[in-house]
C-alpha cells in the first residue's frame, strides 16, 4: 500500500478545503466528492477525496447537513479560508472611483461622509454597511461659534478637529448683543482652539471669567456653555447603518426566525451595535469575525468584516459590513479596505481645508 508523506497529505487537505468553501460560497449548495473530482483538477481519485472530506469533517472544518448530502463549511472552516486568502481581490477601479466621487462631493461635514460611506458599503456589498463615528469627547476643539437667535437664546456651534459638529441652543436669563457674542467667540477660539473638548469644558468658565470678570452676562453665558454645550456625558459615538433590510436575504439566517429577530434587534438598538463596533475598534486595521467568533449572541449566525479608520496616527472610528457567513470574503475584505483607504484620505483632506 502506498504511503503518502504527511506534509503532502496536509497540503491536499488544505487545497480540498479551499475548493469546498469556494464552491459553497458561490452556489450555496453542499459540496460532494463528485463535484470536486469533476470541477477541480486535483488529480485525486473519488475515494481519496471522500477520505479527505471525512478527515476534514472529523477535524471540525466541515459538516454534513444530511447523511446523503455533501458538506458545508463550519465557522472553523471559514476561518481557515479567510486566513489563507493570500491574494485578496482589489475592488474594481470603477467601484473605487465611484466611492471617491461620492465621498468627495460631501467633504464639508463629517456626518455626510459617515452617511455616504455606510451607504456605499451597503450598495456595493448588498449586505449591511456600518460606520462608527469618532467620539466627540475624544476630539480636539477646532472652532466655537456663538450665534444669537433672538430673545435670550444663543446657538452654540462646536466644530471638532475631525469635522464633528455639535449644535446646541442655550437659553440665558438675559440677552447678549450679537457684537458681544462675536467678540466672545473670537476670544474663546483664541484661547481654547486646539484643546481636547473634555479640557475645554473645564477651562471655558475660567477663561470667560478672566476675560470679562466684571460682567455678569459673560459669566452667565460661561455657565451655560459649560453646563449644556460641552456636556460630554451625552457624547457617545454615532453609528450609521445602511442596508439593514438586506439581512432578510442573508442565506444563512433568512429561514431562522429567532436569528432574524435578534439581528433586527441589534440593528434597531444602536447602543448594542455601537458596543459591538467599539469592541471591533480595539483591533487596529482589518478584522474579520465569523459566526461564533462574535461575542454578541445575536451575531453568531453572521460575519462582520470591519476596519478602523484614522486621521494621521489617531484611530477615529470603525466601518464595515455585516453579512452572511457564506460571503465572498476576498471581495468584501477588498471593499472594506478600499473604502477605509478613501475615508482616511477624505479625513486628511477635510483637516487640511479647515
Amino acid at each position: 500500500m502506498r504511503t503518502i508523506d504527511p506534509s503532502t497529505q496536509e497540503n491536499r487537505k488544505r487545497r480540498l478545503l479551499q475548493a469546498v468553501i469556494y464552491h459553497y460560497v458561490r452556489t450555496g449548495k453542499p459540496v460532494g466528492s463528485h463535484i470536486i473530482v469533476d470541477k477541480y483538477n486535483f488529480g485525486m481519485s473519488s475515494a481519496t477525496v471522500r477520505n479527505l472530506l471525512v478527515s476534514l469533517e472529523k477535524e471540525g472544518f466541515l459538516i454534513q447537513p444530511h447523511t446523503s448530502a455533501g458538506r458545508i463549511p463550519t465557522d472553523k472552516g471559514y476561518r481557515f479560508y479567510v486566513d489563507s486568502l493570500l491574494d485578496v481581490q482589489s475592488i474594481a477601479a470603477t467601484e473605487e472611483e465611484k466611492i471617491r466621487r461620492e465621498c468627495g462631493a460631501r467633504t464639508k461635514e463629517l456626518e455626510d461622509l459617515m452617511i455616504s460611506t455606510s451607504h456605499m458599503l451597503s450598495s456595493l456589498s448588498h449586505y449591511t454597511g456600518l460606520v462608527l463615528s469618532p467620539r466627540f469627547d475624544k476630539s480636539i476643539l477646532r472652532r466655537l461659534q456663538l450665534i444669537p437667535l433672538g430673545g435670550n437664546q444663543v446657538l452654540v456651534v462646536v466644530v471638532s478637529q475631525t469635522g464633528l459638529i455639535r449644535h446646541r441652543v442655550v437659553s440665558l436669563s438675559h440677552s447678549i448683543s450679537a457684537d458681544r457674542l462675536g467678540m466672545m467667540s473670537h476670544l474663546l477660539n483664541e484661547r481654547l482652539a486646539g484643546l481636547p473638548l473634555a479640557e475645554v469644558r473645564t477651562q471655558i468658565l475660567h477663561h470667560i471669567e478672566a476675560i470679562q470678570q466684571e460682567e455678569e452676562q459673560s459669566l452667565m453665558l460661561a455657565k451655560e456653555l459649560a453646563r449644556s454645550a460641552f456636556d460630554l456625558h451625552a457624547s457617545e459615538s454615532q453609528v450609521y447603518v445602511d442596508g439593514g433590510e438586506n439581512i432578510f436575504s442573508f442565506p444563512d439566517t433568512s429561514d431562522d426566525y429567532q436569528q432574524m429577530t435578534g439581528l433586527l434587534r441589534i440593528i434597531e438598538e444602536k447602543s448594542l451595535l455601537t458596543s459591538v463596533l467599539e469592541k471591533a475598534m480595539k483591533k487596529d486595521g482589518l478584522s474579520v469575525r465569523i459566526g461564533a467568533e462574535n461575542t454578541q449572541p445575536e451575531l453568531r449566525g453572521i460575519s462582520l468584516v470591519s476596519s478602523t479608520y484614522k486621521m494621521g496616527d489617531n484611530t477615529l472610528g470603525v466601518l464595515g459590513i455585516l453579512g452572511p457567513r457564506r460571503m465572498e470574503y476576498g471581495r468584501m475584505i477588498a471593499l472594506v479596505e478600499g473604502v477605509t483607504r478613501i475615508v482616511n484620505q477624505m479625513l486628511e483632506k477635510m483637516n487640511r481645508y479647515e
Side-chain angles (χ1 to χ4, degrees):
M1 183 176 180
R2 182 186 172 197
T3 303
I4 299 177
D5 176 74
S7 64
T8 303
Q9 184 80 339
E10 283 304 310
N11 185 47
R12 284 181 169 184
K13 285 164 60 178
R14 283 199 298 272
R15 290 163 56 209
L16 183 60
L17 180 57
Q18 286 174 326
V20 169
I21 298 175
Y22 174 82
H23 195 86
Y24 179 67
V25 167
R26 293 278 174 141
T27 66
K29 296 178 181 176
V31 183
S33 58
H34 65 285
I35 292 175
I36 299 297
V37 173
D38 292 344
K39 294 186 176 297
Y40 299 89
N41 184 26
F42 288 150
M44 292 184 279
S45 67
S46 295
T48 300
V49 170
R50 280 197 298 275
N51 289 336
L52 291 176
L53 289 175
V54 169
S55 178
L56 287 166
E57 187 176 347
K58 288 179 179 176
E59 293 174 29
F61 292 104
L62 299 173
I63 57 171
Q64 198 169 18
H66 310 290
T67 306
S68 59
R71 290 170 174 81
I72 64 175
T74 62
D75 288 351
K76 184 179 178 181
Y78 280 124
R79 167 51 58 194
F80 165 83
Y81 184 69
V82 170
D83 290 344
S84 64
L85 284 173
L86 299 178
D87 186 18
V88 175
Q89 302 171 32
S90 298
I91 55 175
T94 51
E95 285 185 334
E96 181 152 347
E97 177 54 31
K98 182 180 178 184
I99 298 168
R100 199 176 296 281
R101 195 167 55 246
E102 282 283 323
C103 292
R106 300 180 172 214
T107 55
K108 291 183 179 177
E109 290 196 9
L110 183 65
E111 185 176 6
D112 287 335
L113 179 62
M114 302 288 102
I115 292 170
S116 63
T117 299
S118 62
H119 175 69
M120 294 303 298
L121 284 168
S122 172
S123 65
L124 291 173
S125 67
H126 304 294
Y127 300 141
T128 302
L130 310 168
V131 182
L132 184 70
S133 74
R135 287 181 63 103
F136 198 70
D137 57 343
K138 304 293 184 186
S139 301
I140 302 294
L141 178 67
R142 181 189 299 278
R143 189 171 65 247
L144 170 68
Q145 192 72 31
L146 307 174
I147 303 169
L149 295 180
N152 299 339
Q153 290 192 318
V154 175
L155 174 64
V156 183
V157 182
V158 180
V159 183
S160 76
Q161 195 172 46
T162 55
L164 279 174
I165 299 175
R166 168 180 281 189
H167 304 83
R168 285 283 190 280
V169 176
V170 297
S171 297
L172 308 174
S173 57
H174 302 90
S175 63
I176 301 179
S177 69
D179 290 343
R180 188 73 183 158
L181 286 174
M183 182 275 290
M184 294 174 73
S185 294
H186 177 73
L187 290 174
L188 287 173
N189 280 312
E190 273 191 344
R191 294 162 187 248
L192 299 175
L195 294 178
L197 292 181
E199 190 175 340
V200 170
R201 185 170 192 251
T202 62
Q203 292 207 13
I204 194 165
L205 192 60
H206 165 74
H207 280 292
I208 291 191
E209 281 181 321
I211 295 168
Q212 298 292 333
Q213 199 165 19
E214 73 282 5
E215 293 191 24
E216 183 182 348
Q217 58 182 202
S218 298
L219 183 60
M220 171 184 63
L221 175 60
K223 288 179 177 175
E224 280 303 318
L225 288 175
R227 184 186 67 80
S228 178
F230 285 90
D231 176 14
L232 302 178
H233 294 295
S235 62
E236 291 183 348
S237 300
Q238 293 276 341
V239 62
Y240 299 86
V241 181
D242 198 286
E245 71 281 3
N246 290 337
I247 65 171
F248 292 103
S249 61
F250 288 0
D252 299 333
T253 57
S254 56
D255 295 331
D256 189 324
Y257 174 78
Q258 190 172 357
Q259 279 203 354
M260 289 297 298
T261 303
L263 270 179
L264 284 172
R265 178 169 164 264
I266 285 280
I267 291 176
E268 291 296 322
E269 292 185 28
K270 297 291 181 61
S271 60
L272 285 175
L273 199 50
T274 298
S275 172
V276 170
L277 293 175
E278 285 182 340
K279 287 177 182 173
M281 193 171 157
K282 292 178 180 176
K283 182 181 183 303
D284 194 36
L286 182 80
S287 173
V288 180
R289 289 190 173 273
I290 302 166
E293 295 176 357
N294 290 295
T295 55
Q296 191 73 29
E298 292 88 342
L299 298 182
R300 289 178 181 165
I302 62 172
S303 292
L304 171 63
V305 181
S306 65
S307 177
T308 53
Y309 60 89
K310 297 182 173 185
M311 182 183 290
D313 294 329
N314 297 321
T315 298
L316 300 181
V318 62
L319 58 83
I321 293 167
L322 272 182
R325 288 183 300 161
R326 182 168 71 81
M327 69 162 72
E328 291 186 60
Y329 286 97
R331 181 169 181 274
M332 294 305 115
I333 289 171
L335 175 61
V336 169
E337 288 187 327
V339 171
T340 301
R341 187 167 57 249
I342 292 169
V343 168
N344 289 345
Q345 292 168 355
M346 291 299 167
L347 289 170
E348 291 291 346
K349 184 178 176 183
M350 291 168 69
N351 189 41
R352 286 198 301 271
Y353 289 168
E354 282 290 331

